[in-house]
Amino acid sequence: MKITFLGHASLQIEINNIFIIVDPFISANEKAKHININSLKADYILLTHAHQDHILDAEVIAKNTGAKIVSNFEIITYYEKLGIKGNPMNHGGSWQFDFGRLTMTNAIHSSSFPDGSYGGNPAGFILETNEGNIYIAGDTALNMDMKLIPLQCKLDLAVLPIGDNFTMGIESAIIASDFVTCNKILAYHFDTFGYIEINHQNAKENFKAKHKELIILEIGESITL
């Protein structure tokens, strides 16, 4: 499994030549100008919620690639009206895809489309595959529901927001990693805007002090599980 950071909360996950894009906000991100959305491969697009900084490039990528969008019912309904196919889900539900089993988890946040219309409930995803299991938290506060995740599967990686203000910050993310019993954390949702800028070295040292590994990738950089 290859995971590439595309900036902000955007990821590309490659599993056995199947490509998944998560929350594509790339074209308007000044820090991700070197990423060409028209060259991205995608078979699926996972959307955690409807905020613009998570869905901005979903329509273009889906129409370029024929990718299927996976999200909550309201978001899928929105994109189906644009002629884009989707797989609707809701909290606690799972579905077996060709890349693995996907479960939608709770997230404590808000969700509305750029025009202010209702975007359904925000969510995260657990992805279980033959190449490893990952938890993509989405935009969320620390919450006790995270303790349910290790009862379902053993994680190899937790992708957690650490930028604070709009989501968990570093201290809460450390507790979240305890809740999901995963000591390997990929950071996202940081640095894009002034409100969520972080000190990278300080963040890594805080996680290391708790015997955890915090991975902070440059935009376009990848890790392999």
Side-chain angles (χ1 to χ4, degrees):
M1 183 190 302
K2 181 181 179 182
I3 303 169
T4 303
F5 181 52
L6 301 177
H8 194 51
S10 305
L11 306 168
Q12 183 184 60
I13 304 171
E14 181 183 355
I15 306 167
N16 293 325
N17 208 36
I18 298 171
F19 292 85
I20 302 165
I21 299 288
V22 180
D23 285 355
F25 174 76
I26 302 164
S27 61
N29 183 357
E30 290 295 326
K31 299 177 184 296
K33 286 297 185 184
H34 57 294
I35 304 295
N36 180 5
I37 64 170
N38 294 312
S39 65
L40 291 174
K41 295 180 180 179
D43 299 291
Y44 299 91
I45 300 171
L46 308 187
L47 300 179
T48 62
H49 63 294
H51 286 163
Q52 185 179 44
D53 62 325
H54 293 258
I55 69 166
L56 179 66
D57 299 312
E59 181 180 354
V60 170
I61 294 172
K63 289 183 174 178
N64 282 347
T65 62
K68 177 180 286 188
I69 293 179
V70 183
S71 191
N72 66 43
F73 178 82
E74 290 80 6
I75 289 175
I76 295 303
T77 299
Y78 172 88
Y79 282 103
E80 284 180 340
K81 290 177 181 177
L82 300 175
I84 298 169
K85 57 189 176 182
N87 190 117
M89 299 186 71
N90 215 321
H91 293 169
S94 300
W95 190 257
Q96 187 68 40
F97 293 88
D98 51 359
F99 56 80
R101 184 173 186 259
L102 196 65
T103 301
M104 182 172 275
T105 65
N106 192 29
I108 306 299
H109 196 60
S110 57
S111 179
S112 58
F113 287 99
D115 65 2
S117 60
Y118 179 54
N121 291 318
F125 293 99
I126 301 169
L127 176 55
E128 298 174 79
T129 81
N130 292 332
E131 297 188 6
N133 301 329
I134 66 174
Y135 168 50
I136 302 168
D139 280 14
T140 188
L142 178 66
N143 63 85
M144 296 295 285
D145 285 352
M146 292 175 176
K147 288 192 171 186
L148 300 174
I149 292 172
L151 301 180
Q152 180 171 334
C153 72
K154 179 176 173 55
L155 296 175
D156 298 290
L157 180 72
V159 184
L160 303 178
I162 64 168
D164 218 338
N165 194 70
F166 297 112
T167 68
M168 295 186 295
I170 293 164
E171 292 180 0
S172 292
I174 291 172
I175 298 171
S177 68
D178 285 336
F179 283 3
V180 302
T181 65
C182 184
N183 291 329
K184 187 172 186 176
I185 297 92
L186 175 62
Y188 79 165
H189 209 279
F190 63 92
D191 282 359
T192 317
F193 320 111
Y195 283 114
I196 60 173
E197 290 177 352
I198 65 166
N199 182 309
H200 291 203
Q201 188 61 35
N202 179 66
K204 289 180 178 179
E205 288 175 357
N206 275 270
F207 275 83
K208 186 176 181 180
K210 299 295 184 178
H211 310 289
K212 301 173 186 292
E213 178 188 8
L214 178 67
I215 302 166
I216 299 179
L217 297 176
E218 297 294 330
I219 297 174
E221 189 178 4
S222 305
I223 59 170
T224 302
L225 288 186

